[in-house]
Amino acid sequence: MIEFSGVTKRFRRQEVLQSIDLRIERGQRVALVGSNGAGKTTLIRCLLGEYTHQGQVLIDGESPREHRQSVLSKIGFVPQLPPPLRMPVGQLVRFSASLCQADPERMQAVADDLGFDARRYRHHPFFKLSGGQKQKLLIAIALGRDSELLVMDEPAANLDPEARHQLFRLLAEKQDKAAMLISSHRLDEVAALVNRVIEMDQGRIVLDDEVADSVDMTRLLAVVVIMTQPEDAFARALSEWGFRELADPCHWSGTIAGPDRLRFLGMLSRYAALLAGLEMSEAAGSATEASDVA
């Protein structure tokens, strides 16, 4: 599906990519991780045909620079930073759909799933949307088409927990039909979504490893959090995840998407001194997964 052969990219005297050799097949969900400046974004831009470079990049045997229309019609792309487009939302959806002969209604339906009513904002300039609204619309445009390759740079940034859950569900629908390249500077943000991890550092691939492919991206976990004492900052953090206070102000309950478990536990770790107990189970109540934390 995707093949990088000896890809090197320089900006003046700085070598940003150093002889990258990489192959990604359909059905592989790849986490591209590394610190800022590691070369992740440059690699993605070479894949999209935006940069000239040494070496060769091929998608289904075609160069993304020499066969742009053919190659880009196969790619759904979610950038890390939304472009400053003045185009109204409705026009942007129609234009994006026309580029790949997709159904704009499908894109609007995906936006609905993510919690953004594209029809209501159809006359609203894209650049005036909130960060979360922009992210939802860009994801809807990328997923609302029959993409063979999904390239997503920090796709869940700016999304609320419910929208993240819907994103995971939508990705699950495509996991056997498309290759996915998900870029992030933190592995815990994307670990549960992928079955392969590629780490970059200073323009080189320093790790390429397959990981267990056993996570159900549509899974929901029911969670109860018990505090040692009421704490406003902790309560606000739980509220942002959609949790509700029970009769006792130290007891909170809610649900999280299975792939968000590591991210949620990372949030809890910031309040470890205030954590008296934690219970996690399948949302349907089938299997208990977590224990009390003293």
Side-chain angles (χ1 to χ4, degrees):
M1 175 78 189
I2 304 170
E3 187 170 2
F4 292 83
S5 300
V7 174
T8 297
K9 175 63 182 175
R10 293 183 179 87
F11 292 106
R12 296 183 180 177
R13 296 183 179 181
Q14 184 180 6
E15 199 169 59
V16 181
L17 296 180
Q18 302 183 44
S19 192
I20 299 294
D21 293 313
L22 177 64
R23 187 176 181 87
I24 300 173
E25 302 290 351
R26 280 182 180 80
Q28 291 189 323
R29 305 188 306 279
V30 179
L32 182 64
V33 299
S35 60
N36 291 333
K40 304 186 304 297
T41 299
T42 301
L43 187 73
I44 288 174
R45 289 183 175 175
C46 289
L47 176 64
L48 297 175
E50 295 178 7
Y51 286 161
T52 58
H53 52 78
Q54 293 178 298
Q56 189 176 55
V57 178
L58 296 176
I59 299 176
D60 280 345
E62 294 183 319
S63 164
R65 286 193 65 82
E66 296 174 7
H67 305 91
R68 287 192 63 76
Q69 184 173 355
S70 173
V71 171
L72 293 180
S73 68
K74 303 176 182 179
I75 300 176
F77 176 53
V78 181
Q80 180 181 12
L81 298 176
L85 300 174
R86 294 182 175 274
M87 191 181 297
V89 166
Q91 184 180 347
L92 176 58
V93 170
R94 292 191 301 274
F95 173 73
S96 301
S98 69
L99 294 178
C100 54
Q101 290 75 53
D103 182 358
E105 289 296 323
R106 171 59 182 155
M107 294 179 177
Q108 291 178 337
V110 174
D112 288 341
D113 287 343
L114 294 169
F116 176 65
D117 187 347
R119 296 174 186 83
R120 177 185 173 188
Y121 287 88
R122 63 186 181 278
H123 300 304
H124 204 82
F126 176 81
F127 80 98
K128 289 189 176 181
L129 299 176
S130 69
Q133 290 172 329
K134 291 175 183 176
Q135 191 76 352
K136 291 174 181 178
L137 183 59
L138 291 173
I139 291 171
I141 289 172
L143 297 186
R145 52 188 290 189
D146 294 325
S147 304
E148 298 176 37
L149 170 61
L150 287 171
V151 180
M152 297 171 284
D153 199 346
E154 303 279 3
N158 298 317
L159 294 186
D160 55 86
E162 177 57 28
R164 288 174 66 92
H165 171 55
Q166 293 300 326
L167 170 62
F168 301 147
R169 181 185 62 79
L170 291 164
L171 292 179
E173 294 176 358
K174 291 182 175 288
Q175 61 184 347
D176 297 325
K177 305 172 187 175
M180 299 183 193
L181 185 62
I182 306 174
S183 177
S184 178
H185 67 285
R186 291 180 53 184
L187 180 56
D188 64 338
E189 289 282 335
V190 296
L193 299 177
V194 303
N195 53 21
R196 183 178 175 189
V197 175
I198 294 172
E199 183 176 359
M200 296 189 67
D201 186 42
Q202 297 183 352
R204 294 182 180 272
I205 294 176
V206 296
L207 173 71
D208 185 351
D209 197 13
E210 293 185 357
V211 297
D213 191 11
S214 58
V215 174
D216 180 359
M217 286 193 282
T218 64
R219 182 185 193 187
L220 274 177
L221 298 173
V223 182
V224 175
V225 175
I226 305 172
M227 302 179 188
T228 57
Q229 63 187 46
E231 168 59 44
D232 289 343
F234 197 0
R236 284 195 300 271
L238 289 170
S239 295
E240 290 173 0
W241 279 82
F243 276 57
R244 294 182 299 176
E245 181 183 320
L246 300 178
D248 183 336
C250 290
H251 287 65
W252 290 71
S253 71
T255 58
I256 61 171
D260 254 344
R261 179 169 50 186
L262 284 177
R263 184 169 177 265
F264 179 74
L265 292 175
M267 182 277 291
L268 290 183
S269 69
R270 300 199 299 268
Y271 303 98
L274 296 169
L275 192 61
L278 171 65
E279 298 174 6
M280 280 188 183
S281 63
E282 296 286 347
S286 58
T288 302
E289 294 205 350
S291 59
D292 290 342
V293 179

